[in-house]
Amino acid sequence: MTEIMLSQTPAHVRHGSNIGQSFTRRDGALKVTGAAKYAADHHPPGMLYAVLAVSSIARGRVASLDVAAARAHPGIVEVITPANRPPLAQDPDERSDLFTFRLDLLQSDRVRYANQPIAVVIAETLEAATEGAALLSPRYEIEPARVGLDAAESFVPSAVGPGFPAQMHRGDVDAGLAAATRKIAETYETPAQYHNPMEPHAIVASWDGDRLSIDTPSQGLTIAQGRLAGLLGISPDNIHIRSPFLGGGFGCKGLISGPQVLGVIAARVVGKPVKLVLRREQMYGPVGHRAPTRQTLRLGTDRDGRLIAIDHHTKTMSSTFDDFFESASDASHTPYASAAIATSHEAVRADIGTPMFMRAPGEATGSIALESAIDHVAQACGMDPLAFRLRNYAEVEPISGKPFSSKALRECYRQGAERFGWERRPLAPRQMRDRDGLLVGWGVGTATFPALMFMGNARAVLRGDGRGVLEIGAQDMGQGAGTALAQIAADALGLEIDRVEFRSGTSDLPDAGIAGGSAHTATAGMAIHNAGADVIARLAELATNDRRSPLFGAGNAGVTARGGRLSRSDDESRSESYADILGRAGLAQIEGHGSGAADAAAQSTYAMHAHGAVFAEVKVDPDLGQIRATRLVGAFAAGRIINPRMVESQLLGGMIWGVSFALHEQAIMDPRSGRPMNANLAEYHIPVNADVPSLEAILVKEHDPHVNALGIKGVGEIGITGTAGAVANAVWHATGVRMHKFPITLDRLIEPR
Ligand code: MOS
């Protein structure tokens, strides 16, 4: 195995006590007192209200809109339709790269999916705009909607997820299956799901000449800025985006959406600030969702219960006009060893809004099918499902052949099982009942998520008063990123955390890339770390070259930055404060820059993943089929933990989402109209407090020297993977019924398939 050198060994050692501390959220008090201003809380003087009119059909064209009736309503200022929408600098149907998706910006009267924007009504009040939109009374030429995974001929997409190959293999799966002593072939279905952050997409846009200023939630400020600049034909420098708080993102705020752009267009048309907020049902179409899948897994083992073939095939769905393909089969690339492994995808096009990245895109969807199938083949082998996983978890990533941190995974299995009490689990199903006669079942699932990094930049400043400023256009979706990154900033500058001003969340700051892919802390964190190293190196240069400094000539010995002082690394009694160094040099401040990105050499040598094992208990009413998840224990190894409190909260949130995936969430499409029938939070079920079981997330210690100099892996999405499958497997253990359609609802449990 090639050993690699870390390319990011810090120029000077910095010591701090901030990384690793369970600080509470820096913005917590603002949020609980209502002082945190979210996008829709802004009311610039003279602001008008825009409301979208959206299509009630899934396919056809808008034959007429009663614009006159809307305009006649008191308080209406303007009605924008395809007939009068001002020209854009770029065709919204142009797809220039992987991350520029097609948008519906009133470019024609075509309707491509239900809830597509067909007009924007602007008024002096929200009520007037809402009424005006209702008065448009659209008439449609309706064409039959194509709905479901059998809507059309399928095809092999040119890529899945963010540009992954649709088909991959290693070894000969068919030969493996032919030689297998035990094998299964099972098909699983997962539904369409919608992101549903508490805060819907919202924008307050103001124009001043050709300068645009907006308040809107965004997981990626620079990407949003670039997209808007292209569409509007202005320089990105003329666009200022403020996104200090997001009320959840989950991927639907990763790229700027059509409705947000329509808010900007509306403000330009009326020449006044405009607010546009999506109603909940308007989020079921134009802002992305998780596509449904039908996945077939064929697994084969030898006589010792070792996997010798894994074949994972996914059929999924995209829109008729754009390409996003849920990469569910790729979940089989990583957790389990097998000499032969093949993954493939096919897709159909239907009359839906384009699917999008949604919280563990591909991984969550694929994981529930894979973990269900692994459990099933373990049963075929007569093995305990944990023992089967311990025999089969991968030491090297099967698809790439690259080594990764499998020891950490083993530790997750061990600690999770011990805490859960797994050893008391009877092998056969339907063996356990609680005092009320409910069937009790225990299940396990393996969690895995790639340790990704994107590109990010940061600027660090040390001021003459010895305080520091760290600037990065990072985003906090509510998970506590701002707190964790401020901790990294303090250590990067060798300062106490309250002596560092941490600035983030606006587009005028250095580009932090996207808060997605569970990569933000690693990416932004490394940018901060390197910016701090840069400014400390400059400071050390000043001191070690100055005869008047106690650090003069310490260049070779090295200096340590801690608590606002530089000291000789070999003799800490020789030290000087930052303020004194800067003061003597006559400098008001010095500035440093750094960037964060994946280390290409390390990435080509190692497969990088966070790992975990999730154990679930469910209780099922034997007569009524009612299912409750009652207890979850997850053990996760995710490299260095910056803030255990935030990380535990992220993991618990992911596990709750896993329960939701297994038992609650689904969008139901009306096959006649192509409309989502439960486009609201009453009928689109997500767990409420009563649905959330006793939860525990164990942080398994892991030191991974290869991912990045700080050893950070992501924790945002891994909690969903493993959990959903563990719950499904617990349902089998309680009832003896293998479920193939998710979510597992009581009707499906009583009458499987
Ligand atoms: Mo996400 S789907 O990486 O916000």
Side-chain angles (χ1 to χ4, degrees), residues 363-373 375 389 442-447 614-616 618 632 655 657-659 661-663 719-732 738-739 742 744:
E363 288 88 3
T365 325
S367 169
I368 192 169
L370 173 64
E371 291 303 317
S372 296
D375 229 62
R389 284 169 175 80
W442 290 357
V444 60
T446 304
V614 183
F615 298 82
V618 302
L632 285 179
M655 288 161 70
W657 197 310
V659 171
F661 201 123
L663 301 180
I720 311 173
T721 70
T723 304
V727 171
N729 295 335
V731 169
W732 170 78
R738 289 266 174 220
M739 297 304 298
F742 302 104
I744 305 171

mmCIF file of all heavy atoms in Angstrom, residues 363-373 375 389 442-447 614-616 618 632 655 657-659 661-663 719-732 738-739 742 744:
data_model
loop_
_atom_site.group_PDB
_atom_site.id
_atom_site.type_symbol
_atom_site.label_atom_id
_atom_site.label_comp_id
_atom_site.label_asym_id
_atom_site.label_seq_id
_atom_site.Cartn_x
_atom_site.Cartn_y
_atom_site.Cartn_z
ATOM 1 N N GLU A 363 -27.654 7.421 -1.592
ATOM 2 C CA GLU A 363 -27.260 6.584 -0.449
ATOM 3 C C GLU A 363 -28.468 6.161 0.386
ATOM 4 O O GLU A 363 -28.588 4.991 0.763
ATOM 5 C CB GLU A 363 -26.266 7.311 0.461
ATOM 6 C CG GLU A 363 -24.868 7.469 -0.116
ATOM 7 C CD GLU A 363 -24.732 8.722 -0.950
ATOM 8 O OE1 GLU A 363 -25.710 9.501 -1.035
ATOM 9 O OE2 GLU A 363 -23.652 8.925 -1.542
ATOM 10 N N ALA A 364 -29.342 7.098 0.719
ATOM 11 C CA ALA A 364 -30.491 6.762 1.576
ATOM 12 C C ALA A 364 -31.399 5.768 0.867
ATOM 13 O O ALA A 364 -31.815 4.756 1.436
ATOM 14 C CB ALA A 364 -31.268 8.027 1.932
ATOM 15 N N THR A 365 -31.683 6.070 -0.399
ATOM 16 C CA THR A 365 -32.586 5.247 -1.189
ATOM 17 C C THR A 365 -32.013 3.850 -1.398
ATOM 18 O O THR A 365 -32.703 2.843 -1.243
ATOM 19 C CB THR A 365 -32.770 5.918 -2.573
ATOM 20 O OG1 THR A 365 -32.757 7.326 -2.398
ATOM 21 C CG2 THR A 365 -34.037 5.474 -3.224
ATOM 22 N N GLY A 366 -30.736 3.822 -1.767
ATOM 23 C CA GLY A 366 -30.098 2.537 -2.021
ATOM 24 C C GLY A 366 -29.883 1.749 -0.748
ATOM 25 O O GLY A 366 -29.999 0.518 -0.731
ATOM 26 N N SER A 367 -29.602 2.443 0.338
ATOM 27 C CA SER A 367 -29.275 1.771 1.592
ATOM 28 C C SER A 367 -30.447 0.956 2.127
ATOM 29 O O SER A 367 -30.261 -0.171 2.602
ATOM 30 C CB SER A 367 -28.843 2.808 2.639
ATOM 31 O OG SER A 367 -28.769 2.243 3.925
ATOM 32 N N ILE A 368 -31.663 1.485 2.041
ATOM 33 C CA ILE A 368 -32.794 0.742 2.613
ATOM 34 C C ILE A 368 -33.019 -0.557 1.835
ATOM 35 O O ILE A 368 -33.326 -1.598 2.423
ATOM 36 C CB ILE A 368 -34.086 1.605 2.686
ATOM 37 C CG1 ILE A 368 -35.145 0.906 3.553
ATOM 38 C CG2 ILE A 368 -34.638 1.939 1.324
ATOM 39 C CD1 ILE A 368 -36.348 1.785 3.907
ATOM 40 N N ALA A 369 -32.785 -0.528 0.523
ATOM 41 C CA ALA A 369 -32.938 -1.743 -0.276
ATOM 42 C C ALA A 369 -31.781 -2.708 -0.007
ATOM 43 O O ALA A 369 -31.994 -3.911 0.220
ATOM 44 C CB ALA A 369 -33.005 -1.383 -1.760
ATOM 45 N N LEU A 370 -30.577 -2.185 -0.005
ATOM 46 C CA LEU A 370 -29.410 -3.038 0.229
ATOM 47 C C LEU A 370 -29.478 -3.694 1.609
ATOM 48 O O LEU A 370 -29.262 -4.909 1.756
ATOM 49 C CB LEU A 370 -28.121 -2.213 0.099
ATOM 50 C CG LEU A 370 -26.822 -2.942 0.485
ATOM 51 C CD1 LEU A 370 -26.555 -4.119 -0.453
ATOM 52 C CD2 LEU A 370 -25.630 -1.979 0.471
ATOM 53 N N GLU A 371 -29.792 -2.901 2.635
ATOM 54 C CA GLU A 371 -29.816 -3.459 3.991
ATOM 55 C C GLU A 371 -30.950 -4.466 4.164
ATOM 56 O O GLU A 371 -30.801 -5.449 4.903
ATOM 57 C CB GLU A 371 -29.927 -2.325 5.019
ATOM 58 C CG GLU A 371 -28.677 -1.456 5.108
ATOM 59 C CD GLU A 371 -27.418 -2.253 5.423
ATOM 60 O OE1 GLU A 371 -27.478 -3.143 6.291
ATOM 61 O OE2 GLU A 371 -26.379 -2.013 4.774
ATOM 62 N N SER A 372 -32.062 -4.241 3.472
ATOM 63 C CA SER A 372 -33.147 -5.225 3.506
ATOM 64 C C SER A 372 -32.685 -6.527 2.855
ATOM 65 O O SER A 372 -32.947 -7.628 3.367
ATOM 66 C CB SER A 372 -34.378 -4.699 2.762
ATOM 67 O OG SER A 372 -34.890 -3.555 3.407
ATOM 68 N N ALA A 373 -32.001 -6.395 1.718
ATOM 69 C CA ALA A 373 -31.555 -7.592 0.980
ATOM 70 C C ALA A 373 -30.474 -8.340 1.753
ATOM 71 O O ALA A 373 -30.459 -9.580 1.788
ATOM 72 C CB ALA A 373 -31.045 -7.178 -0.402
ATOM 73 N N ASP A 375 -30.152 -8.467 4.939
ATOM 74 C CA ASP A 375 -30.840 -9.176 6.015
ATOM 75 C C ASP A 375 -31.490 -10.453 5.499
ATOM 76 O O ASP A 375 -31.467 -11.497 6.151
ATOM 77 C CB ASP A 375 -31.927 -8.258 6.586
ATOM 78 C CG ASP A 375 -31.873 -8.187 8.085
ATOM 79 O OD1 ASP A 375 -30.839 -7.723 8.588
ATOM 80 O OD2 ASP A 375 -32.856 -8.606 8.740
ATOM 81 N N ARG A 389 -23.119 -9.484 8.820
ATOM 82 C CA ARG A 389 -22.446 -8.230 8.450
ATOM 83 C C ARG A 389 -20.990 -8.241 8.903
ATOM 84 O O ARG A 389 -20.109 -7.758 8.199
ATOM 85 C CB ARG A 389 -23.207 -7.032 9.021
ATOM 86 C CG ARG A 389 -24.474 -6.718 8.232
ATOM 87 C CD ARG A 389 -25.352 -5.711 8.947
ATOM 88 N NE ARG A 389 -26.509 -5.317 8.150
ATOM 89 C CZ ARG A 389 -27.622 -6.031 8.027
ATOM 90 N NH1 ARG A 389 -27.747 -7.193 8.645
ATOM 91 N NH2 ARG A 389 -28.620 -5.599 7.275
ATOM 92 N N TRP A 442 -36.093 -6.665 16.462
ATOM 93 C CA TRP A 442 -34.823 -5.945 16.455
ATOM 94 C C TRP A 442 -34.150 -6.093 15.095
ATOM 95 O O TRP A 442 -34.077 -7.215 14.556
ATOM 96 C CB TRP A 442 -33.884 -6.502 17.545
ATOM 97 C CG TRP A 442 -34.327 -6.165 18.945
ATOM 98 C CD1 TRP A 442 -35.406 -5.396 19.324
ATOM 99 C CD2 TRP A 442 -33.698 -6.604 20.155
ATOM 100 N NE1 TRP A 442 -35.485 -5.326 20.691
ATOM 101 C CE2 TRP A 442 -34.451 -6.055 21.232
ATOM 102 C CE3 TRP A 442 -32.583 -7.402 20.432
ATOM 103 C CZ2 TRP A 442 -34.119 -6.284 22.566
ATOM 104 C CZ3 TRP A 442 -32.255 -7.628 21.757
ATOM 105 C CH2 TRP A 442 -33.006 -7.069 22.816
ATOM 106 N N GLY A 443 -33.634 -4.996 14.591
ATOM 107 C CA GLY A 443 -32.965 -5.028 13.295
ATOM 108 C C GLY A 443 -31.691 -4.211 13.315
ATOM 109 O O GLY A 443 -31.496 -3.356 14.177
ATOM 110 N N VAL A 444 -30.822 -4.470 12.338
ATOM 111 C CA VAL A 444 -29.558 -3.752 12.236
ATOM 112 C C VAL A 444 -29.347 -3.292 10.795
ATOM 113 O O VAL A 444 -29.864 -3.919 9.860
ATOM 114 C CB VAL A 444 -28.372 -4.638 12.713
ATOM 115 C CG1 VAL A 444 -28.249 -5.914 11.878
ATOM 116 C CG2 VAL A 444 -27.051 -3.857 12.698
ATOM 117 N N GLY A 445 -28.642 -2.204 10.647
ATOM 118 C CA GLY A 445 -28.276 -1.739 9.314
ATOM 119 C C GLY A 445 -26.894 -1.106 9.353
ATOM 120 O O GLY A 445 -26.501 -0.530 10.373
ATOM 121 N N THR A 446 -26.161 -1.224 8.260
ATOM 122 C CA THR A 446 -24.844 -0.604 8.152
ATOM 123 C C THR A 446 -25.012 0.783 7.544
ATOM 124 O O THR A 446 -25.739 0.948 6.564
ATOM 125 C CB THR A 446 -23.919 -1.445 7.256
ATOM 126 O OG1 THR A 446 -23.860 -2.764 7.783
ATOM 127 C CG2 THR A 446 -22.522 -0.849 7.189
ATOM 128 N N ALA A 447 -24.343 1.745 8.145
ATOM 129 C CA ALA A 447 -24.406 3.116 7.637
ATOM 130 C C ALA A 447 -23.086 3.464 6.974
ATOM 131 O O ALA A 447 -22.017 3.106 7.472
ATOM 132 C CB ALA A 447 -24.674 4.093 8.785
ATOM 133 N N VAL A 614 -26.434 0.894 12.867
ATOM 134 C CA VAL A 614 -27.650 1.355 13.542
ATOM 135 C C VAL A 614 -28.479 0.144 13.955
ATOM 136 O O VAL A 614 -28.688 -0.784 13.164
ATOM 137 C CB VAL A 614 -28.479 2.272 12.620
ATOM 138 C CG1 VAL A 614 -29.700 2.794 13.365
ATOM 139 C CG2 VAL A 614 -27.628 3.432 12.116
ATOM 140 N N PHE A 615 -28.927 0.171 15.191
ATOM 141 C CA PHE A 615 -29.735 -0.905 15.751
ATOM 142 C C PHE A 615 -31.106 -0.339 16.096
ATOM 143 O O PHE A 615 -31.195 0.727 16.721
ATOM 144 C CB PHE A 615 -29.060 -1.477 17.002
ATOM 145 C CG PHE A 615 -27.717 -2.088 16.684
ATOM 146 C CD1 PHE A 615 -26.582 -1.289 16.576
ATOM 147 C CD2 PHE A 615 -27.594 -3.454 16.451
ATOM 148 C CE1 PHE A 615 -25.347 -1.842 16.248
ATOM 149 C CE2 PHE A 615 -26.370 -4.020 16.126
ATOM 150 C CZ PHE A 615 -25.242 -3.210 16.022
ATOM 151 N N ALA A 616 -32.152 -1.065 15.679
ATOM 152 C CA ALA A 616 -33.505 -0.533 15.850
ATOM 153 C C ALA A 616 -34.409 -1.549 16.514
ATOM 154 O O ALA A 616 -34.298 -2.753 16.264
ATOM 155 C CB ALA A 616 -34.086 -0.147 14.489
ATOM 156 N N VAL A 618 -38.589 -2.161 16.947
ATOM 157 C CA VAL A 618 -39.944 -1.730 16.608
ATOM 158 C C VAL A 618 -40.937 -2.578 17.382
ATOM 159 O O VAL A 618 -40.628 -3.693 17.819
ATOM 160 C CB VAL A 618 -40.260 -1.855 15.095
ATOM 161 C CG1 VAL A 618 -39.281 -1.052 14.259
ATOM 162 C CG2 VAL A 618 -40.296 -3.304 14.650
ATOM 163 N N LEU A 632 -33.710 3.329 19.125
ATOM 164 C CA LEU A 632 -32.642 3.314 18.119
ATOM 165 C C LEU A 632 -31.314 3.588 18.802
ATOM 166 O O LEU A 632 -31.209 4.509 19.607
ATOM 167 C CB LEU A 632 -32.844 4.419 17.070
ATOM 168 C CG LEU A 632 -33.906 4.262 15.999
ATOM 169 C CD1 LEU A 632 -33.890 5.507 15.113
ATOM 170 C CD2 LEU A 632 -33.668 3.028 15.152
ATOM 171 N N MET A 655 -31.061 9.977 11.942
ATOM 172 C CA MET A 655 -31.737 8.728 12.328
ATOM 173 C C MET A 655 -33.256 8.903 12.315
ATOM 174 O O MET A 655 -33.996 8.008 11.898
ATOM 175 C CB MET A 655 -31.237 8.282 13.708
ATOM 176 C CG MET A 655 -29.796 7.743 13.666
ATOM 177 S SD MET A 655 -28.983 7.709 15.298
ATOM 178 C CE MET A 655 -29.882 6.402 16.122
ATOM 179 N N TRP A 657 -34.809 10.891 10.378
ATOM 180 C CA TRP A 657 -35.150 10.862 8.952
ATOM 181 C C TRP A 657 -35.188 9.408 8.451
ATOM 182 O O TRP A 657 -36.028 9.036 7.623
ATOM 183 C CB TRP A 657 -34.154 11.694 8.139
ATOM 184 C CG TRP A 657 -34.627 12.046 6.764
ATOM 185 C CD1 TRP A 657 -35.146 11.199 5.828
ATOM 186 C CD2 TRP A 657 -34.629 13.339 6.159
ATOM 187 N NE1 TRP A 657 -35.473 11.882 4.679
ATOM 188 C CE2 TRP A 657 -35.163 13.194 4.867
ATOM 189 C CE3 TRP A 657 -34.216 14.600 6.586
ATOM 190 C CZ2 TRP A 657 -35.300 14.287 3.991
ATOM 191 C CZ3 TRP A 657 -34.358 15.670 5.695
ATOM 192 C CH2 TRP A 657 -34.893 15.515 4.424
ATOM 193 N N GLY A 658 -34.309 8.591 8.958
ATOM 194 C CA GLY A 658 -34.304 7.170 8.572
ATOM 195 C C GLY A 658 -35.595 6.478 8.986
ATOM 196 O O GLY A 658 -36.173 5.694 8.218
ATOM 197 N N VAL A 659 -36.064 6.778 10.188
ATOM 198 C CA VAL A 659 -37.356 6.242 10.645
ATOM 199 C C VAL A 659 -38.457 6.727 9.705
ATOM 200 O O VAL A 659 -39.349 5.970 9.287
ATOM 201 C CB VAL A 659 -37.655 6.686 12.095
ATOM 202 C CG1 VAL A 659 -39.077 6.314 12.502
ATOM 203 C CG2 VAL A 659 -36.648 6.077 13.060
ATOM 204 N N PHE A 661 -38.160 7.603 6.591
ATOM 205 C CA PHE A 661 -38.027 6.914 5.311
ATOM 206 C C PHE A 661 -38.666 5.537 5.401
ATOM 207 O O PHE A 661 -39.409 5.103 4.510
ATOM 208 C CB PHE A 661 -36.536 6.781 4.949
ATOM 209 C CG PHE A 661 -36.262 6.546 3.491
ATOM 210 C CD1 PHE A 661 -35.443 7.425 2.773
ATOM 211 C CD2 PHE A 661 -36.790 5.459 2.822
ATOM 212 C CE1 PHE A 661 -35.173 7.225 1.429
ATOM 213 C CE2 PHE A 661 -36.531 5.246 1.469
ATOM 214 C CZ PHE A 661 -35.722 6.126 0.781
ATOM 215 N N ALA A 662 -38.425 4.837 6.493
ATOM 216 C CA ALA A 662 -38.923 3.470 6.621
ATOM 217 C C ALA A 662 -40.431 3.424 6.863
ATOM 218 O O ALA A 662 -41.110 2.527 6.352
ATOM 219 C CB ALA A 662 -38.196 2.764 7.770
ATOM 220 N N LEU A 663 -40.951 4.383 7.641
ATOM 221 C CA LEU A 663 -42.328 4.231 8.125
ATOM 222 C C LEU A 663 -43.307 5.322 7.693
ATOM 223 O O LEU A 663 -44.518 5.110 7.780
ATOM 224 C CB LEU A 663 -42.334 4.175 9.664
ATOM 225 C CG LEU A 663 -41.524 3.058 10.335
ATOM 226 C CD1 LEU A 663 -41.652 3.164 11.851
ATOM 227 C CD2 LEU A 663 -41.981 1.682 9.851
ATOM 228 N N GLY A 719 -26.586 9.512 9.032
ATOM 229 C CA GLY A 719 -27.573 8.991 9.978
ATOM 230 C C GLY A 719 -28.800 8.374 9.324
ATOM 231 O O GLY A 719 -29.466 7.520 9.916
ATOM 232 N N ILE A 720 -29.124 8.827 8.107
ATOM 233 C CA ILE A 720 -30.289 8.255 7.403
ATOM 234 C C ILE A 720 -29.958 6.861 6.908
ATOM 235 O O ILE A 720 -30.772 5.946 6.984
ATOM 236 C CB ILE A 720 -30.686 9.119 6.192
ATOM 237 C CG1 ILE A 720 -30.786 10.582 6.576
ATOM 238 C CG2 ILE A 720 -31.989 8.625 5.591
ATOM 239 C CD1 ILE A 720 -30.999 11.494 5.390
ATOM 240 N N THR A 721 -28.723 6.721 6.379
ATOM 241 C CA THR A 721 -28.339 5.424 5.838
ATOM 242 C C THR A 721 -28.214 4.446 6.999
ATOM 243 O O THR A 721 -27.862 4.820 8.104
ATOM 244 C CB THR A 721 -26.998 5.490 5.078
ATOM 245 O OG1 THR A 721 -25.929 5.708 6.019
ATOM 246 C CG2 THR A 721 -26.981 6.600 4.050
ATOM 247 N N GLY A 722 -28.514 3.215 6.733
ATOM 248 C CA GLY A 722 -28.458 2.223 7.806
ATOM 249 C C GLY A 722 -29.724 2.209 8.640
ATOM 250 O O GLY A 722 -30.302 1.155 8.897
ATOM 251 N N THR A 723 -30.181 3.404 9.066
ATOM 252 C CA THR A 723 -31.334 3.460 9.969
ATOM 253 C C THR A 723 -32.604 2.918 9.312
ATOM 254 O O THR A 723 -33.324 2.110 9.914
ATOM 255 C CB THR A 723 -31.581 4.912 10.425
ATOM 256 O OG1 THR A 723 -30.388 5.411 11.032
ATOM 257 C CG2 THR A 723 -32.726 4.978 11.415
ATOM 258 N N ALA A 724 -32.889 3.402 8.097
ATOM 259 C CA ALA A 724 -34.138 2.995 7.447
ATOM 260 C C ALA A 724 -34.158 1.475 7.280
ATOM 261 O O ALA A 724 -35.173 0.815 7.546
ATOM 262 C CB ALA A 724 -34.273 3.695 6.095
ATOM 263 N N GLY A 725 -33.028 0.904 6.857
ATOM 264 C CA GLY A 725 -32.952 -0.545 6.703
ATOM 265 C C GLY A 725 -33.069 -1.265 8.041
ATOM 266 O O GLY A 725 -33.715 -2.316 8.140
ATOM 267 N N ALA A 726 -32.458 -0.706 9.074
ATOM 268 C CA ALA A 726 -32.528 -1.336 10.402
ATOM 269 C C ALA A 726 -33.977 -1.411 10.867
ATOM 270 O O ALA A 726 -34.412 -2.424 11.436
ATOM 271 C CB ALA A 726 -31.684 -0.542 11.403
ATOM 272 N N VAL A 727 -34.743 -0.357 10.618
ATOM 273 C CA VAL A 727 -36.158 -0.345 11.019
ATOM 274 C C VAL A 727 -36.932 -1.397 10.217
ATOM 275 O O VAL A 727 -37.716 -2.176 10.778
ATOM 276 C CB VAL A 727 -36.764 1.064 10.831
ATOM 277 C CG1 VAL A 727 -38.273 1.046 11.028
ATOM 278 C CG2 VAL A 727 -36.111 2.057 11.791
ATOM 279 N N ALA A 728 -36.685 -1.443 8.904
ATOM 280 C CA ALA A 728 -37.372 -2.435 8.059
ATOM 281 C C ALA A 728 -37.032 -3.851 8.521
ATOM 282 O O ALA A 728 -37.900 -4.731 8.585
ATOM 283 C CB ALA A 728 -36.990 -2.232 6.597
ATOM 284 N N ASN A 729 -35.781 -4.072 8.864
ATOM 285 C CA ASN A 729 -35.362 -5.400 9.305
ATOM 286 C C ASN A 729 -35.960 -5.741 10.671
ATOM 287 O O ASN A 729 -36.269 -6.915 10.950
ATOM 288 C CB ASN A 729 -33.838 -5.476 9.346
ATOM 289 C CG ASN A 729 -33.242 -5.347 7.953
ATOM 290 O OD1 ASN A 729 -33.915 -5.655 6.956
ATOM 291 N ND2 ASN A 729 -32.004 -4.869 7.859
ATOM 292 N N ALA A 730 -36.140 -4.735 11.501
ATOM 293 C CA ALA A 730 -36.792 -4.960 12.795
ATOM 294 C C ALA A 730 -38.264 -5.328 12.590
ATOM 295 O O ALA A 730 -38.811 -6.155 13.327
ATOM 296 C CB ALA A 730 -36.657 -3.717 13.673
ATOM 297 N N VAL A 731 -38.884 -4.736 11.588
ATOM 298 C CA VAL A 731 -40.284 -5.088 11.285
ATOM 299 C C VAL A 731 -40.364 -6.565 10.890
ATOM 300 O O VAL A 731 -41.267 -7.297 11.332
ATOM 301 C CB VAL A 731 -40.857 -4.183 10.175
ATOM 302 C CG1 VAL A 731 -42.197 -4.724 9.668
ATOM 303 C CG2 VAL A 731 -41.026 -2.747 10.686
ATOM 304 N N TRP A 732 -39.412 -7.033 10.098
ATOM 305 C CA TRP A 732 -39.390 -8.459 9.762
ATOM 306 C C TRP A 732 -39.217 -9.308 11.028
ATOM 307 O O TRP A 732 -39.926 -10.300 11.230
ATOM 308 C CB TRP A 732 -38.247 -8.796 8.786
ATOM 309 C CG TRP A 732 -38.095 -10.291 8.654
ATOM 310 C CD1 TRP A 732 -38.884 -11.128 7.910
ATOM 311 C CD2 TRP A 732 -37.150 -11.129 9.329
ATOM 312 N NE1 TRP A 732 -38.497 -12.428 8.088
ATOM 313 C CE2 TRP A 732 -37.429 -12.466 8.952
ATOM 314 C CE3 TRP A 732 -36.106 -10.874 10.216
ATOM 315 C CZ2 TRP A 732 -36.682 -13.550 9.431
ATOM 316 C CZ3 TRP A 732 -35.360 -11.953 10.689
ATOM 317 C CH2 TRP A 732 -35.655 -13.277 10.295
ATOM 318 N N ARG A 738 -41.343 -9.872 5.266
ATOM 319 C CA ARG A 738 -40.352 -9.038 4.577
ATOM 320 C C ARG A 738 -41.085 -8.006 3.745
ATOM 321 O O ARG A 738 -41.885 -8.352 2.887
ATOM 322 C CB ARG A 738 -39.476 -9.898 3.655
ATOM 323 C CG ARG A 738 -38.512 -10.793 4.403
ATOM 324 C CD ARG A 738 -37.158 -10.130 4.548
ATOM 325 N NE ARG A 738 -36.281 -10.964 5.392
ATOM 326 C CZ ARG A 738 -35.458 -10.457 6.289
ATOM 327 N NH1 ARG A 738 -35.362 -9.157 6.475
ATOM 328 N NH2 ARG A 738 -34.682 -11.255 7.004
ATOM 329 N N MET A 739 -40.796 -6.737 4.002
ATOM 330 C CA MET A 739 -41.482 -5.680 3.275
ATOM 331 C C MET A 739 -40.670 -5.256 2.052
ATOM 332 O O MET A 739 -39.453 -5.154 2.108
ATOM 333 C CB MET A 739 -41.699 -4.483 4.191
ATOM 334 C CG MET A 739 -42.606 -4.791 5.374
ATOM 335 S SD MET A 739 -44.228 -5.429 4.904
ATOM 336 C CE MET A 739 -44.852 -4.024 3.989
ATOM 337 N N PHE A 742 -41.798 0.736 0.432
ATOM 338 C CA PHE A 742 -41.625 1.707 1.509
ATOM 339 C C PHE A 742 -42.423 2.965 1.192
ATOM 340 O O PHE A 742 -42.557 3.310 0.031
ATOM 341 C CB PHE A 742 -40.141 2.025 1.691
ATOM 342 C CG PHE A 742 -39.343 0.787 1.993
ATOM 343 C CD1 PHE A 742 -38.545 0.192 1.013
ATOM 344 C CD2 PHE A 742 -39.434 0.178 3.230
ATOM 345 C CE1 PHE A 742 -37.836 -0.966 1.289
ATOM 346 C CE2 PHE A 742 -38.732 -0.986 3.508
ATOM 347 C CZ PHE A 742 -37.929 -1.562 2.534
ATOM 348 N N ILE A 744 -43.254 1.488 5.149
ATOM 349 C CA ILE A 744 -43.988 0.338 5.654
ATOM 350 C C ILE A 744 -45.190 0.874 6.417
ATOM 351 O O ILE A 744 -45.066 1.328 7.545
ATOM 352 C CB ILE A 744 -43.108 -0.524 6.580
ATOM 353 C CG1 ILE A 744 -41.830 -0.931 5.848
ATOM 354 C CG2 ILE A 744 -43.886 -1.748 7.053
ATOM 355 C CD1 ILE A 744 -40.806 -1.607 6.742
#
